[in-house]
């Protein structure tokens, strides 16, 4: 791919400025207060795709936020790459913990990003990573080097479960037909240790409600004589793990894929420092399922975590009260072969069975999705690996991630194609957290690497 570094050097400032403009739009899909901003972000993505050289770009309406679809078809005989990404972002809360306003991007350098990083909600997840693809296309089109066909599908509901994308994909199989799907919405080990994500975990997300007496009660007059929903809820949650931190839901592990000794040994070769891990999080010890390493716990093992818990009095001072209700939001990360709907049912049955007399329990499923594993013996992985070798000077390490992009397994089912996860973020980029950022180096490296993927994938497909 000739002159990509030159093109980058020339256009670097503009590439950063354009991303900055996109990051200023607070496209928070979870909060209806931002609905116009989410729509504005879809328009901005459309404009950028047209500018980059797509022949056609449409805003496809759904029952929720629109999907931006664009394409450049140069020759139907050539392979077609489908790029997926999302323009919606997580809520910025807690706002107080940001060092600069979440939708006013600034560049600051950090220990791992000495060249600077762009601080803003969505910088890494996923606007910055999605925009690398727009700029890579621009380069290939403007320099007449686009070697294949390309389609873009950028959605606005990823952070809220991609509810309408499934229908869109099922109804547009022809339009979305492709030879490989390419996504940059994950991470890599470190800037000097490139890796390609080969697995994602599935997800089951539920909300639980425990109801005791029909009204809040004086904790002196009634305390000790009736079930306190908060006491009960916390006890029920505690019972979901045993002393080895195994999950106690009957049948939960039945379909879990057990990795062979060899596979685990291979995984353990990835560079990892437990000391640095603890230091970065300011913890004295790690914690988790007995018999597994930290990297296994956060990728190949399923988990159950409370994401939020509330009830009773949390105002100033003290109020002596037994609340009528207590609530929690619980997520389970799942691994290959676990079916999220089945796990949700197992959770529901078990959780209800844990309730003592004197309370009622309601379990409401939210969203979920299947996990995913990419094979590494196909042209897609080989092309990606070669692309990283070219631009990083190192062979990337295949690595499973703990995060979830539920729609990936659906792509495989509906479109019958594999997904390659070329993520350029770092775990320390604080996605979903205050002070999210994306390294300027990573942003440019992504733009540099993607065109090589196109080139090698096209060559390998011949
Ligand atoms: N981009 C993330 C997922 C991710 C991040 C995977 C880093 C691997 C490494 C995505 O936007 C996300 O946040 N997914 C959600 C699930 C979704 C259903 C809300 C998640 O993983 O919590
Ligand atoms: Mn994402
Ligand atoms: Mn996310």
């Amino acid at each position: 791919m000739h002159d990509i570094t030159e093109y980058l050097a020339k256009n670097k400032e503009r590439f950063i400025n354009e991303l900055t403009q996109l990051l200023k739009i607070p496209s928070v899909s979870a909060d209806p207060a931002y609905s116009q901003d989410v729509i504005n972000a879809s328009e901005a993505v459309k404009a950028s795709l047209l500018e980059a050289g797509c022949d056609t770009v449409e805003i496809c309406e759904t029952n929720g936020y629109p999907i931006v679809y664009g394409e450049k078809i140069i020759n139907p005989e050539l392979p077609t790459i489908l790029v997926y990404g999302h323009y919606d972002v997580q809520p910025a809360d807690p706002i107080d913990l940001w060092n600069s306003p979440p939708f006013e991007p600034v560049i600051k350098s950090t220990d791992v990003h000495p060249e600077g990083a762009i601080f803003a909600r969505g910088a890494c997840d996923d606007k910055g990573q999605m925009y690398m693809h727009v700029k890579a296309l621009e380069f290939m089109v403007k320099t007449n080097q686009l070697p294949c066909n390309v389609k873009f599908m950028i959605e606005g509901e990823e952070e809220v479960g991609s509810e309408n994308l499934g229908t869109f994909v099922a109804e547009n199989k022809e339009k979305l037909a492709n030879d490989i799907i390419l996504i940059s919405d994950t991470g890599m080990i470190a800037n000097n240790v490139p890796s390609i994500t080969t697995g994602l975990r599935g997800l089951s997300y539920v909300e639980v409600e425990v109801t005791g007496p029909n009204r809040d009660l004086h904790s002196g007059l009634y305390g000790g004589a009736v079930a306190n929903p908060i006491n009960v809820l916390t006890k029920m949650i505690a019972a979901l793990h045993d002393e080895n931190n195994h999950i106690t839901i009957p049948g939960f592990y039945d379909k879990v894929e057990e990795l062979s000794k060899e596979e685990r040994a291979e995984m353990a070769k990835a560079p990892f420092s437990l000391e640095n891990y603890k230091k970065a999080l300011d913890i004295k010890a790690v914690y988790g399922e007995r018999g597994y390493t930290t990297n296994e716990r956060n990728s190949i093992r399923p988990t159950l975590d409370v994401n939020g818990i509330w009830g009773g009095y949390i105002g100033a001072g003290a109020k002596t009260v037994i609340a009528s209700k207590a609530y929690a939001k619980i997520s389970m990360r799942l691994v290959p072969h676990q079916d999220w709907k089945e796990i949700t049912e197992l959770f529901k049955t078990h959780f209800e069975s844990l309730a003592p007399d004197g309370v009622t329990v309601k379990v409401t499923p939210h969203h979920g999705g299947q996990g995913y594993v990419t094979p590494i013996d196909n042209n897609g992985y080989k092309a990606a690996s070669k692309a990283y070798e070219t631009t990083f000077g190192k062979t990337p390490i295949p690595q499973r991630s703990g995060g979830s992009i539920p729609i990936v397994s659906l792509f495989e089912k509906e479109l019958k194609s594999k997904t390659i996860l070329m993520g350029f973020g770092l775990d320390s980029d604080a996605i979903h957290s205050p002070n999210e950022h994306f390294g300027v180096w990573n942003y440019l490296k992504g733009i540099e690497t993607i065109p090589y993927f196109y080139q090698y994938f096209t060559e390998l497909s011949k």
Side-chain angles (χ1 to χ4, degrees):
M1 193 66 50
H2 80 271
D3 72 14
I4 175 74
T5 41
E6 190 188 315
Y7 195 86
L8 274 175
K10 247 194 224 147
N11 295 286
K12 176 180 161 177
E13 294 305 315
R14 177 171 59 87
F15 286 178
I16 293 169
N17 290 339
E18 287 177 13
L19 174 57
T20 299
Q21 293 310 314
L22 185 61
L23 290 170
K24 282 185 185 169
I25 307 172
S27 48
V28 180
S29 51
D31 186 345
Y34 294 99
S35 61
Q36 189 55 50
D37 298 292
V38 183
I39 290 164
N40 293 348
S42 72
E43 296 287 348
V45 170
K46 175 184 175 182
S48 71
L49 282 169
L50 281 170
E51 186 67 38
C54 277
D55 294 330
T56 56
V57 184
E58 323 160 45
I59 299 258
C60 307
E61 297 302 334
T62 70
N63 286 332
Y65 289 120
I67 292 159
V68 185
Y69 175 79
E71 62 179 32
K72 184 162 185 74
I73 308 296
I74 57 169
N75 176 353
E77 305 285 304
L78 287 168
T80 300
I81 295 174
L82 173 66
V83 175
Y84 163 84
H86 61 96
Y87 62 80
D88 65 321
V89 302
Q90 284 276 318
D93 329 37
I95 289 270
D96 298 352
L97 298 182
W98 284 76
N99 297 325
S100 57
F103 300 106
E104 293 172 28
V106 289
I107 297 183
K108 284 182 289 187
S109 59
T110 71
D111 287 352
V112 291
H113 295 299
E115 285 92 350
I118 308 171
F119 282 76
R121 170 58 83 231
C124 179
D125 182 13
D126 178 43
K127 284 174 176 166
Q129 297 214 66
M130 176 270 288
Y131 209 68
M132 298 180 314
H133 289 271
V134 180
K135 294 299 100 179
L137 176 73
E138 175 197 302
F139 162 73
M140 290 182 282
V141 172
K142 300 273 144 83
T143 60
N144 284 313
Q145 295 184 84
L146 185 66
C148 58
N149 306 307
V150 55
K151 298 176 175 177
F152 277 81
M153 175 172 57
I154 313 297
E155 72 152 319
E157 297 187 302
E158 197 278 342
E159 299 293 7
V160 287
S162 304
E163 236 174 87
N164 296 292
L165 188 65
T167 317
F168 179 78
V169 171
E171 287 173 357
N172 291 280
K173 287 187 194 170
E174 197 77 12
K175 185 192 196 106
L176 301 171
N178 65 80
D179 297 286
I180 196 83
I181 298 169
L182 185 58
I183 304 181
S184 294
D185 193 22
T186 55
M188 59 181 188
I189 297 176
N191 286 1
N192 57 357
V193 189
S195 59
I196 295 176
T197 305
T198 51
L200 294 163
R201 285 198 284 195
L203 181 72
S204 164
Y205 201 109
V206 299
E207 185 165 326
V208 300
E209 179 191 286
V210 174
T211 307
N214 61 1
R215 60 184 169 88
D216 289 6
L217 302 172
H218 187 288
S219 66
L221 298 182
Y222 290 93
V226 295
N228 175 334
I230 302 177
N231 292 8
V232 169
L233 174 62
T234 51
K235 202 167 162 181
M236 289 167 72
I237 288 171
L240 295 173
H241 288 94
D242 69 13
E243 66 282 6
N244 293 320
N245 279 315
H246 290 300
I247 294 155
T248 54
I249 301 168
F252 186 83
Y253 291 98
D254 283 2
K255 295 190 176 164
V256 168
E257 172 200 47
E258 293 290 343
L259 265 65
S260 66
K261 256 202 185 125
E262 292 72 26
E263 284 171 299
R264 291 177 70 185
E266 195 56 40
M267 265 190 82
K269 284 188 193 157
F272 175 73
S273 156
L274 192 58
E275 279 320 303
N276 290 348
Y277 187 86
K278 290 190 286 190
K279 214 166 114 196
L281 301 177
D282 213 355
I283 50 177
K284 286 209 182 67
V286 290
Y287 184 92
E289 188 183 4
R290 190 167 172 170
Y292 295 92
T293 65
T294 296
N295 273 339
E296 290 172 339
R297 288 169 179 168
N298 68 24
S299 64
I300 58 161
R301 297 300 295 166
T303 62
L304 183 153
D305 277 294
V306 179
N307 293 246
I309 182 163
W310 69 104
Y313 183 68
I314 53 164
K319 177 186 179 192
T320 46
V321 68
I322 290 171
S324 164
K325 285 176 187 287
Y327 308 82
K329 290 184 193 278
I330 297 176
S331 68
M332 288 162 276
R333 294 283 169 174
L334 310 175
V335 296
H337 310 322
Q338 282 183 298
D339 180 78
W340 78 272
K341 289 191 173 149
E342 202 177 308
I343 292 292
T344 305
E345 277 310 306
L346 291 178
F347 174 89
K348 191 171 186 288
T349 308
H350 182 61
F351 202 70
E352 285 167 354
S353 81
L354 291 176
D357 290 345
V359 299
T360 54
V361 171
K362 200 165 100 193
V363 176
T364 312
H366 268 274
H367 54 258
Q370 299 299 102
Y372 185 70
V373 185
T374 358
I376 61 172
D377 58 357
N378 59 20
N379 286 344
Y381 188 88
K382 285 181 194 155
S385 185
K386 240 181 119 182
Y388 281 69
E389 273 166 30
T390 308
T391 58
F392 285 78
K394 284 179 184 169
T395 305
I397 298 171
Q399 200 193 38
R400 291 216 208 170
S401 171
S404 307
I405 311 178
I407 208 69
V408 173
S409 70
L410 201 130
F411 288 157
E412 176 150 313
K413 189 167 148 249
E414 298 286 354
L415 304 175
K416 310 272 181 269
S417 41
K418 299 283 175 207
T419 293
I420 302 301
L421 298 156
M422 288 179 39
F424 293 89
L426 300 181
D427 283 355
S428 55
D429 287 346
I431 63 171
H432 294 206
S433 292
N435 305 309
E436 174 178 354
H437 53 279
F438 188 36
V440 170
W441 185 90
N442 301 66
Y443 178 51
L444 299 174
K445 206 57 164 175
I447 302 172
E448 184 187 343
T449 309
I450 292 162
Y452 288 102
F453 175 83
Y454 280 59
Q455 185 192 326
Y456 297 140
F457 184 73
T458 307
E459 282 171 15
L460 286 168
S461 303
K462 274 176 193 154

